[in-house]
C-alpha cells in the first residue's frame, strides 16, 4: 500500500524554493483567506465554549468520513481537549472506540442510533482528534476524562457502546459512577484481570504494544504503519469492510502511536484495580457482544465476574471489528437493547438483544 506518512518540506528544500512574488491581487486574496481563517477560529472557539447547546442535533457539515447530520467539536478535560462527533436527539448514547481505530469506526452505526438517541462518538484521550495528555492512560483516569467530556456536553445520564480498549474505559466509568450509566453494550473485549490476559497467546500485538518504551516505537516507524495496522485488520472475518486509510493516517504520528501503546502498558495496573474493586458489581444491564469468528461468548464470561445482569450476544458473519464488519446487526441489536420504540426483535437472531 502507498505510504500514508505526511511530512513537512525539509529545511533544505524550503531554503531552495524560489520566492513567490506578492502582487496586490495576491495580497488581497491572502488577506481574505486570513480573515476567513480568523472567523472560522472564532466560530470553533464559541462552539467549544457553548458546549452541548452549540450542537443540538448535528448539521450539514459533517466531519470527514461521517455522514451528513453530524457535527464535530472539542471540549476541555484534564490533560487536554477531547474530540467528539455528535448528532441525533433523545437519550444520550456515548460511543468509545478501540485500537487501532478512532471514533470514525462508528460512522456506519451512528445514523441508525441517531433516529431515537443523541449519539456522541468520542476519541479517547491521545487518539484521533483528541489532545495527547502527559500520562493518565490507566483506564480509571481515562474514564474520568471521558466523563468530564460527557458532563461538559451536558449529556447527563448516558448509555455506552464501546469496542476493544473502549470497553476497558467504559467499565470503570460505569463501576465508579453507576447512577450515571443506564446500560452498557460491550463489544469484543474481556476485562483486564478477568480474561484479557488469556488472549496474550492469541495475538502477539498485546505484548508488543505493552512493551516498555521505546521498543515498539523503535520497531514500528512511520513507513511501517500500514503494514502493522493492515495486519491487524486482516485478522478480521470481513477485512474488505474496513476502510483502512483513515486509520493509517490517524496513527501516522509517532506521538499518537506512543499514546496508543500507553493504553496497553497500563493493562497490568488496570487488572489490579479491576480485581480490587470487583465487589462493586455493575447494577445496570450489560450486553456482552462478541464476533462469531472472534471472541464470541468470552466477553460475557468476563463480565459475569463483575456484573449481575449480563446478556451474551454473538454477532453473525463478523470477526473482531464488529461495528464495521456487521454494522446493520450492531445498529439493530443496540437500538433494541437501548429501547427502540417497537420494543420487540424483528428477527430471531436479535432475540438476545431484547431490553
Amino acid at each position: 500500500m502507498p505510504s500514508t506518512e505526511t511530512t513537512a518540506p525539509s529545511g533544505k528544500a524550503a531554503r531552495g524554493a524560489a520566492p513567490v512574488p506578492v502582487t496586490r491581487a495576491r495580497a488581497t486574496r491572502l488577506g481574505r483567506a486570513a480573515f476567513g481563517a480568523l472567523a472560522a477560529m472564532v466560530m470553533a472557539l464559541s462552539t467549544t465554549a457553548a458546549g452541548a447547546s452549540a450542537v443540538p442535533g448535528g448539521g450539514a457539515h459533517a466531519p470527514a468520513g461521517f455522514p451528513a447530520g453530524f457535527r464535530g467539536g472539542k471540549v476541555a478535560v484534564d490533560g487536554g481537549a477531547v474530540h467528539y462527533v455528535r448528532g441525533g436527539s433523545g437519550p444520550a448514547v456515548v460511543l468509545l472506540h478501540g485500537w487501532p481505530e478512532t471514533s470514525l469506526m462508528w460512522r456506519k452505526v451512528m445514523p441508525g442510533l441517531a433516529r431515537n438517541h443523541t449519539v456522541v462518538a468520542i476519541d479517547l484521550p491521545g487518539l484521533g482528534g483528541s489532545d495527547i495528555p502527559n500520562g493518565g492512560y490507566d483506564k480509571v483516569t481515562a474514564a474520568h476524562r471521558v466523563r468530564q467530556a460527557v458532563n461538559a456536553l451536558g449529556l447527563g445520564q448516558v448509555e455506552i457502546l464501546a469496542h476493544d480498549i473502549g470497553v476497558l474505559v467504559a467499565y470503570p466509568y460505569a463501576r465508579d459512577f453507576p447512577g450515571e450509566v443506564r446500560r452498557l453494550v460491550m463489544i469484543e473485549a474481556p476485562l483486564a484481570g478477568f480474561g484479557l490476559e488469556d488472549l496474550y497467546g492469541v495475538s502477539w500485538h498485546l505484548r508488543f504494544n505493552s512493551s516498555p518504551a521505546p521498543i515498539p516505537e523503535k520497531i514500528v516507524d512511520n513507513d511501517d504503519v500500514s503494514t502493522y495496522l493492515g495486519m491487524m485488520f486482516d485478522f478480521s472475518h470481513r477485512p474488505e469492510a474496513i476502510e483502512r486509510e483513515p486509520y493509517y493516517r490517524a496513527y501516522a504520528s509517532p506521538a499518537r502511536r506512543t499514546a496508543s501503546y500507553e493504553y496497553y502498558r497500563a493493562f497490568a495496573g488496570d487488572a489490579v484495580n479491576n480485581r480490587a474493586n470487583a465487589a462493586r458489581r455493575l447494577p445496570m444491564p450489560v450486553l456482552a457482544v462478541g464476533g462469531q469468528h472472534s471472541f464470541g461468548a468470552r466477553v460475557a464470561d468476563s463480565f459475569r465476574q463483575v456484573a449481575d445482569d449480563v446478556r451474551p450476544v454473538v454477532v453473525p458473519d463478523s470477526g473482531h471489528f464488529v461495528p464495521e464488519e456487521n454494522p446493520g446487526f450492531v445498529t439493530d441489536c443496540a437500538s433494541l437493547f437501548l429501547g427502540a420504540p417497537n420494543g420487540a426483535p424483528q428477527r430471531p437472531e436479535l432475540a438476545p438483544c431484547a431490553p
Side-chain angles (χ1 to χ4, degrees), residues 102-162:
T102 67
S103 58
L104 187 63
M105 69 168 292
W106 300 107
R107 68 195 180 282
K108 301 175 185 177
V109 174
M110 293 172 73
L113 293 178
R115 295 190 191 105
N116 299 297
H117 296 86
T118 297
V119 182
V120 181
I122 290 177
D123 282 325
L124 295 176
L127 304 180
S130 295
D131 292 351
I132 302 175
N134 183 20
Y137 292 92
D138 65 278
K139 306 314 171 289
V140 170
T141 301
H144 286 207
R145 288 170 172 165
V146 169
R147 177 175 177 263
Q148 288 175 342
V150 167
N151 289 337
L153 291 169
L155 299 179
Q157 192 178 50
V158 299
E159 298 162 312
I160 302 178
L161 269 72

Side-chain angles (χ1 to χ4, degrees), residues 2-224:
S3 172
T4 60
E5 179 184 3
T6 57
T7 59
S10 68
K12 181 177 179 180
R15 288 193 297 271
V20 178
V22 181
T23 63
R24 179 176 297 179
R26 177 177 173 80
T28 300
R29 289 195 301 270
L30 290 172
R32 289 173 179 170
F35 179 80
L38 178 62
M41 181 175 68
V42 171
M43 289 181 65
L45 289 173
S46 63
T47 296
T48 299
S53 62
V55 284
H61 302 291
F66 286 89
F70 292 89
R71 294 280 295 273
K74 296 181 82 169
V75 291
V77 303
D78 290 344
V82 163
H83 176 259
Y84 67 90
V85 177
R86 175 176 180 162
S89 62
V93 179
V94 173
L95 299 97
L96 303 178
H97 66 89
W99 183 90
E101 296 182 297
T102 67
S103 58
L104 187 63
M105 69 168 292
W106 300 107
R107 68 195 180 282
K108 301 175 185 177
V109 174
M110 293 172 73
L113 293 178
R115 295 190 191 105
N116 299 297
H117 296 86
T118 297
V119 182
V120 181
I122 290 177
D123 282 325
L124 295 176
L127 304 180
S130 295
D131 292 351
I132 302 175
N134 183 20
Y137 292 92
D138 65 278
K139 306 314 171 289
V140 170
T141 301
H144 286 207
R145 288 170 172 165
V146 169
R147 177 175 177 263
Q148 288 175 342
V150 167
N151 289 337
L153 291 169
L155 299 179
Q157 192 178 50
V158 299
E159 298 162 312
I160 302 178
L161 269 72
H163 176 263
D164 193 75
I165 287 178
V167 169
L168 310 186
V169 175
Y171 167 62
Y173 188 146
R175 181 196 69 200
D176 296 347
F177 305 99
E180 300 178 19
V181 180
R182 288 187 60 248
R183 286 175 177 255
L184 293 171
V185 180
M186 304 286 92
I187 304 173
E188 276 288 299
L191 294 172
F194 295 101
L196 180 62
E197 297 76 12
D198 297 339
L199 300 176
Y200 281 16
V202 175
S203 177
W204 61 271
H205 84 278
L206 291 161
R207 291 194 183 277
F208 177 77
N209 285 2
S210 60
S211 299
I215 293 173
E217 285 89 345
K218 291 289 187 181
I219 294 175
V220 177
D221 64 20
N222 291 359
D223 292 333
D224 300 323

